[in-house]
Amino acid sequence: MTYDNAKSKNSIYFAQADSLENFKSISFGYAKTTVKDSTIKFLIRAIGAPENYDRPYNLNIADTSTLKEGTEYEILNKPLSIKAGKTADTLKIKLLRASNLRDKPSYLLMDLKPNESFTNDFLLYTKVINGVTTTGYRTRMLLKVDDIAGPPPFWSVGSIYYTSVVGYFGTFSMLKFQLFLTYYNLDGDQVVMPNWFTTDNNNRRISGWANGLKAYLTRMAAAGTPVYESDGVTLMTMGVYAR
């Protein structure tokens, strides 16, 4: 009956909803400053047999969404449809690295609604965890986007390296951390791993990294383009050990 269009009612849903709990989080906070956008994909699947024509589907953006179309995101594959001979489509959303994402996250709440091509009868699912039943919606997806980063383990209070790192890098700031990633072409996902600092002698490179960043900040100031922290007033500085 899965491939019988009449009995399946041609329901449409987010294929990831069961495993991702209807939620996806994306952060630019651990990306280099040269990264200006990112594209995220969602698989939209229909129950039933393929047809020999394109079938539009109805993606509704809830009014409660705070992610703004045009300045913070774009849907790349408009008009939205499941193509002829197919039973799925990849929804592609381009996320733009807007400056306001540094202050707080923005959200995009998406709902698949019925239309002339599809129903949303494949709507709910329940899970029982430790005797507690929760309900999820296969036709709904919440996307959270921000440009916020916390300190990596070696730069965090409580780390055995914290005093030394602050001595070279100074107080942690998100923009300074992103500059560090960009200037030395580092992978943010690797840098925040617990053992990164002690791998490949990275902990022995701290003085060289700090000196290089201080030299860069000095050159930028001399050129009349000083680097500021996120408030736009405070000059970015390195620690007292940086030369």
Side-chain angles (χ1 to χ4, degrees):
M1 292 194 300
T2 301
Y3 296 99
D4 185 310
N5 285 350
K7 293 180 180 179
S8 71
K9 301 180 181 179
N10 283 132
S11 191
I12 195 168
Y13 64 101
F14 285 98
Q16 302 100 324
D18 281 337
S19 60
L20 296 184
E21 302 295 343
N22 307 79
F23 179 78
K24 184 72 174 177
S25 180
I26 300 294
S27 179
F28 288 103
Y30 300 98
K32 302 178 182 69
T33 55
T34 51
V35 175
K36 302 303 180 185
D37 56 66
S38 180
T39 298
I40 185 171
K41 300 176 182 179
F42 296 95
L43 183 62
I44 308 296
R45 190 179 294 281
I47 299 175
E51 298 286 2
N52 60 1
Y53 53 87
D54 292 355
R55 293 176 289 170
Y57 59 88
N58 181 12
L59 180 74
N60 180 71
I61 306 299
D63 292 339
T64 53
S65 298
T66 55
L67 202 68
K68 300 295 188 295
E69 187 170 13
T71 56
E72 294 178 32
Y73 81 94
E74 300 172 5
I75 296 178
L76 299 180
N77 55 313
K78 289 184 176 180
L80 300 175
S81 67
I82 291 184
K83 303 300 186 287
K86 303 292 184 181
T87 58
D89 181 56
T90 301
L91 172 65
K92 300 176 183 177
I93 300 178
K94 182 178 182 180
L95 304 172
L96 308 174
R97 196 173 191 175
S99 58
N100 60 287
L101 296 175
R102 296 175 184 169
D103 301 322
K104 62 180 181 179
S106 287
Y107 296 87
L108 189 68
L109 178 59
M110 301 176 284
D111 278 297
L112 292 168
K113 297 290 189 179
N115 64 359
E116 66 281 0
S117 301
F118 301 104
T119 71
N120 63 352
D121 282 22
F122 193 55
L123 181 63
L124 303 175
Y125 67 90
T126 58
K127 288 186 176 181
V128 180
I129 302 176
N130 296 326
V132 178
T133 300
T134 58
T135 301
Y137 292 83
R138 292 187 177 92
T139 58
R140 179 172 295 174
M141 185 64 67
L142 177 64
L143 175 62
K144 172 189 173 185
V145 186
D146 67 41
D147 192 0
I148 300 170
F154 63 89
W155 204 344
S156 298
V157 176
S159 166
I160 61 173
Y161 307 105
Y162 179 73
T163 300
S164 177
V165 171
V166 170
Y168 283 105
F169 281 3
T171 303
F172 174 84
S173 77
M174 184 176 67
L175 293 185
K176 189 188 299 184
F177 179 52
Q178 291 173 347
L179 174 63
F180 171 55
L181 297 178
T182 305
Y183 194 78
Y184 292 108
N185 194 30
L186 300 174
D187 184 337
D189 290 336
Q190 293 295 320
V191 174
V192 298
M193 296 295 288
N195 62 343
W196 178 84
F197 196 57
T198 55
T199 301
D200 297 329
N201 292 318
N202 287 326
N203 55 324
R204 298 185 180 182
R205 297 186 173 99
I206 186 172
S207 60
W209 283 331
N211 294 344
L213 287 176
K214 183 172 183 177
Y216 169 78
L217 295 175
T218 300
R219 289 196 304 272
M220 293 297 287
T225 54
V227 179
Y228 293 98
E229 294 291 0
S230 58
D231 61 6
V233 177
T234 306
L235 284 171
M236 186 177 292
T237 59
M238 302 305 293
V240 295
Y241 300 159
R243 298 288 181 261

